[in-house]
Amino acid sequence: MDSYGTNFSVSIKQKDVVVAALPVQNHWLPMSNLDLLLPELDVGVFFCYKKSDFYTENVNLLKKSLAQALSPFYPLAGEIVQNIHGEPELLCNSRGVDFIHAYADVMLKDIDLHHPDDSVKTKFVPVKKSGVFSVQVTELNCGGLVIGCKFDHRVADAYSMNMFLVAWAEISKSEAISTVPSFRRSMLNPRRPLLIDSLYDTLFVPLSSLPPPNPSVPTNPLISRIYYVKSEAINNLQSISSLNGNPKRSKLVSLTAYLWRLMSECEDGSKTCRMGVVVDGRKRLDKLSLPMENYFGNILSIPYGQVVSDQLRDMPLSQVTTLVDDFINVATTEDHFRGLIDWVELKRPKQAVAKIYTKIEENDGDAIVVSSGQRFPVESVDFGWGKPRFGSYMFPWGGQTGYVMPMPSAKSNGDWIVYMYLLEKHLEIVETKGSEVFHPLNSTYLDF
């Protein structure tokens, strides 16, 4: 693919602010203790659609259905401000959502989706300048369409945003929304008295306890890439991971273990190689009288493991998957999430962050966090002119910890799409020693 896949122009046709069809009375919505674990980060997501006629009608439909969707999902139309304690809080004031209508002088098949930093990041996913949520709808010169969104991670995790995207699509087709969101923060209240376990001090750390950044120490930039993984490769990793008398491992655990061992080949042998996994706590807390499946907000924990690189690279994959399962299992109970809520309460108003996002110990090597995007509803984000041919999250968050998010392919054939935000040395090992598993995303695979 030539440079045209990234070197094309995007022009703005119109900018609007879309407000909720039924604005709410101004009120404050506190963040839960689990929301407070997130620093100020914006997350992108985008969907690509093949040729669709009547652009003006499509864009007007999107605006109208967005206004309707913002009524039940009203926090997305608000703003985040600081309360008297310096903590973020949601002001639900019906500010609205910035909506950009744009045109890109490029064909869908020519967009280089393997290099999204150059082709997607500032062209199809909007820069959120204010508010909680922003949208950009971009027409392509082939008749295709790209819908990009940016949201504040402090307000929503990927599960919550998936819920909203599906509801927005359902409303655009005049269907009732399948999930009505709940913002009942009392469901995540701390216990009284607080019950604290020392485990949380190993997984999370107050920001105030971290040393100030040293500007004289150079940092290496992280780079975004998107790959596809064939279903046969995923199944093969799962089979290898389950050898030597091990129980059958999940596909996500198997892929995580494979990445962890690949990563160790880039590291100084004496340094630890760290791998974390994002765990959604909804199912763990679902024993409450009200189900958590419609809770809108963050219910996440990030357990991690660390192994000296020399040891890790010599392990069989089945042994590495055992390590992954072991560190994930500490965060798969209701008590874990209840304890985490209590731990944050104890530290407030000091903000804390997942420890894997930091380098504290002298032998701390590089780190990667894997987030499960298997619930990514790419097939369900159909606004009335057909399903997306491609969709992905995009999270170039700017830190020094890598981020990987596997998602189902829009082909619905068991393949995965994997977004990676990693150091260049890690991407090089992915594309050399990991080339039988990870294939650079291209228009041939996507059948654009």
Side-chain angles (χ1 to χ4, degrees), residues 125 158 173 211 218 249 259 360 383 394 412:
V125 176
K173 294 181 292 187
R249 306 298 188 182
L259 272 171
I360 301 175
F383 292 93
M394 189 173 176
S412 302

Side-chain angles (χ1 to χ4, degrees), residues 226-377:
I226 301 179
Y227 302 89
Y228 69 90
V229 181
K230 301 291 287 184
S231 60
E232 307 89 77
I234 301 168
N235 293 335
N236 184 52
L237 287 178
Q238 187 179 32
S239 297
I240 297 172
S241 298
S242 305
L243 294 175
N244 301 325
N246 284 329
K248 187 174 183 180
R249 306 298 188 182
S250 74
K251 293 178 180 179
L252 180 67
V253 165
S254 302
L255 187 75
T256 300
Y258 179 73
L259 272 171
W260 197 7
R261 197 175 61 176
L262 270 183
M263 174 188 167
S264 70
E265 302 196 30
C266 304
E267 304 301 327
D268 182 320
S270 63
K271 286 189 174 290
T272 61
C273 194
R274 298 178 294 153
M275 177 65 74
V277 173
V278 177
V279 176
D280 186 339
R282 284 172 174 80
K283 288 185 177 179
R284 284 82 193 181
L285 294 169
D286 212 19
K287 298 176 183 178
L288 299 169
S289 58
L290 293 175
M292 299 297 293
E293 64 180 10
N294 63 342
Y295 181 85
F296 191 97
N298 288 283
I299 309 184
L300 305 174
S301 183
I302 309 179
Y304 71 95
Q306 56 184 16
V307 181
V308 174
S309 299
D310 275 348
Q311 297 175 5
L312 187 61
R313 67 173 64 105
D314 292 334
M315 290 182 185
L317 188 60
S318 58
Q319 186 177 353
V320 182
T321 54
T322 298
L323 296 178
V324 175
D325 258 344
D326 286 347
F327 75 70
I328 288 177
N329 285 339
V330 305
T332 56
T333 66
E334 179 181 358
D335 280 345
H336 173 82
F337 282 91
R338 287 289 165 204
L340 181 54
I341 292 167
D342 291 352
W343 184 87
V344 175
E345 185 71 12
L346 182 68
K347 303 297 181 182
R348 291 179 65 179
K350 294 180 179 179
Q351 186 176 6
V353 67
K355 202 169 186 178
I356 195 170
Y357 290 137
T358 68
K359 281 189 177 183
I360 301 175
E361 304 297 332
E362 186 176 346
N363 69 332
D364 280 349
D366 295 316
I368 295 176
V369 170
V370 176
S371 180
S372 174
Q374 292 310 301
R375 294 186 182 129
F376 186 54

Side-chain angles (χ1 to χ4, degrees), residues 63 69 73 103 121 123 160 181 258 268 279 319 345-346 364 415 421:
K63 288 182 184 177
F73 290 87
Y103 174 82
K121 180 180 175 182
K123 296 184 176 181
S160 302
Y258 179 73
D268 182 320
V279 176
Q319 186 177 353
E345 185 71 12
L346 182 68
D364 280 349
D415 292 356
Y421 178 64

Side-chain angles (χ1 to χ4, degrees), residues 26-39:
N26 285 11
H27 68 280
W28 300 91
L29 182 64
M31 299 287 195
S32 77
N33 282 7
L34 298 181
D35 292 327
L36 295 175
L37 284 172
L38 276 296

